Amino acid sequence: MGMSVTISAATEQDAEQIFKLQYLCFQGEAALYGNYRIDPLVQSLDSLRQEVAADCVFVARLGDEVVGSVRGSTTEDGAAAIGKLCVHPRLQGHGIGARLLRAVEAALAEERGATRFRLHTGHRSEGNLRLYRRVGYQTVGTFDSPDGVPMILLEKPAGTYVATA
């Protein structure tokens, strides 16, 4: 490949690339559930720009191209909600998702005082579940998302960085 992937905080200028990447990456999830109305596919660019401005957003870059992204925000109960983790399909399986998770977790704990992290994924999303469990998340519940997809809720305490190899 010749270049290495770097992880950094997203900027306002990254919003459009994140938007396009998110749309590409969540096609597989939509197909898995036969539901193309899942939140990442119907989110507006303006809404995403607001998240980049207000939330803790990280991107993975290969040169000038955004090839991964993740978002996090703190909730009233001291937890941090992490979501919309995505890595370009051609680069999946190389640890980029785990690196993005570590970056957003560290920032949420250090800058926003998060005491635990919470995320969710669809019940059929085995690859996502493997990654989340490998980095220390445990299932704490289930729920149906507003778009009707059965979800698994996972959580872990802040400071729990399990090896990703």
Side-chain angles (χ1 to χ4, degrees):
M1 206 175 274
M3 283 191 258
S4 60
V5 173
T6 59
I7 308 294
S8 61
T11 67
E12 185 180 313
Q13 290 75 28
D14 295 323
E16 197 167 318
Q17 281 194 70
I18 295 169
F19 184 72
K20 290 175 182 175
L21 178 68
Q22 174 178 301
Y23 192 82
L24 171 69
C25 291
F26 281 91
Q27 294 295 317
E29 287 292 298
L32 187 59
Y33 297 98
N35 183 345
Y36 288 84
R37 301 290 304 156
I38 61 174
D39 184 58
L41 297 184
V42 299
Q43 182 177 25
S44 70
L45 179 55
D46 284 342
S47 169
L48 190 145
R49 282 189 172 118
Q50 290 170 359
E51 288 179 0
V52 170
D55 294 343
C56 195
V57 182
F58 281 84
V59 292
R61 295 180 205 283
L62 183 60
D64 293 332
E65 180 186 5
V66 172
V67 295
S69 178
V70 67
R71 285 167 247 177
S73 60
T74 50
T75 60
E76 294 84 34
D77 66 355
I82 296 174
K84 295 185 180 132
L85 173 66
C86 61
V87 174
H88 195 288
R90 76 176 190 269
L91 296 172
Q92 290 177 3
H94 297 283
I96 297 168
R99 289 176 58 202
L100 283 163
L101 278 172
R102 272 197 307 272
V104 76
E105 289 169 357
L108 288 163
E110 294 165 17
E111 299 167 16
R112 303 198 182 188
T115 57
R116 67 188 179 284
F117 308 115
R118 187 177 297 139
L119 49 74
H120 60 270
T121 191
H123 72 294
R124 293 183 192 150
S125 302
E126 289 301 321
N128 297 349
L129 289 165
R130 269 193 307 277
L131 168 63
Y132 298 148
R133 290 178 177 136
R134 193 171 67 237
V135 298
Y137 285 86
Q138 295 183 346
T139 299
V140 295
T142 60
F143 67 96
D144 287 336
S145 67
D147 52 37
V149 174
M151 305 299 276
I152 297 176
L153 182 66
L154 300 103
E155 206 174 89
K156 77 174 186 178
T160 307
Y161 296 102
V162 176
T164 59

